[in-house]
Amino acid sequence: MIIAIDGPAASGKGTLAKRLANHFGFHCLDTGLLYRAVARDVARNGFRLEDAWAAVAAARNLDPRELEDADLRGNAAGDAASIVARIPEVRAALLAYQRNFARRPPGAVLDGRDIATVVCPDANVKIFVTASPEVRASRRFAEFEARGSAVAYETVLEDILARDARDSGRASAPMMLAEDAELLDTSNLSIEAAFDAAVGLIKRKISH
Ligand code: DC
């Protein structure tokens, strides 16, 4: 059983994926962490993020056990990930790990940008989680404020728009709504309500 969750930055897809995995007793993979770790390793090795050779080498040598680093969760790591994620050979190098993970019994939830379209086109359930850029920026802004970091709302919104443009505008596996995916717009939904809606979608899909 494979549940594919795609969507833009700060859409709440990661939180949703974790909650769904808990609920159904499935494994959960945040695939953004793989790209974040590749970008971290490229920078750590002293190369530019645009250096395809260094990024591919980092992707091929990635140890998925090294995804727990708290720094990987930050905004800068996300922006850096979005740069290495444009390189087709980096994406190819990360594919087998994601596909093997997806086959873990009794089931897996994977979240990212291209899960429904490229990684698991045969997923049993495909959900594209979104929210307006303004709502996503407000949520991110609130997280930053809670952590005591002083970033202007406008800067957060600009970052989100730039990341959307990069992730959906790239040639290789761009972020997009798969033909057979369900769209879940969380602009006006609490986390709880988004979770309930997703569980409803999944149950309907499975019973068919
Ligand atoms: O989901 P996230 O914000 O952690 O992802 C960080 C970046 O990694 C995202 O901007 C683009 C890239 N990414 C990707 O290209 N494909 C995925 N399946 C997951 C993430």
Side-chain angles (χ1 to χ4, degrees), residues 7-14 30-36 39 49 71-86 91 111-113 128 133 136-137 140 143-144 147 154-170 172-176:
S11 57
K13 64 185 186 316
D30 170 354
T31 63
L33 278 180
L34 300 171
Y35 294 93
R36 287 168 182 254
L49 294 170
D71 285 351
L72 288 183
R73 309 258 167 200
N75 214 31
D79 285 338
S82 161
I83 294 172
V84 297
R86 288 185 302 200
R91 309 198 67 83
D111 79 85
R113 302 291 185 293
F128 192 90
R136 289 185 280 130
R140 260 292 134 84
E143 282 169 24
F144 287 142
R147 273 191 256 137
E154 288 69 24
T155 310
V156 179
L157 179 59
E158 266 169 35
D159 279 358
I160 280 186
L161 291 172
R163 185 109 75 89
D164 284 359
R166 209 185 289 134
D167 292 346
S168 49
R170 68 180 177 224
S172 178
M175 169 175 73
M176 61 158 129

Side-chain angles (χ1 to χ4, degrees), residues 171-183:
S172 178
M175 169 175 73
M176 61 158 129
L177 176 67
E179 245 176 41
D180 47 352
E182 307 280 346
L183 183 67

Side-chain angles (χ1 to χ4, degrees), residues 173-192:
M175 169 175 73
M176 61 158 129
L177 176 67
E179 245 176 41
D180 47 352
E182 307 280 346
L183 183 67
L184 180 59
D185 188 334
T186 68
S187 298
N188 298 308
L189 298 181
S190 63
I191 292 177
E192 208 55 49

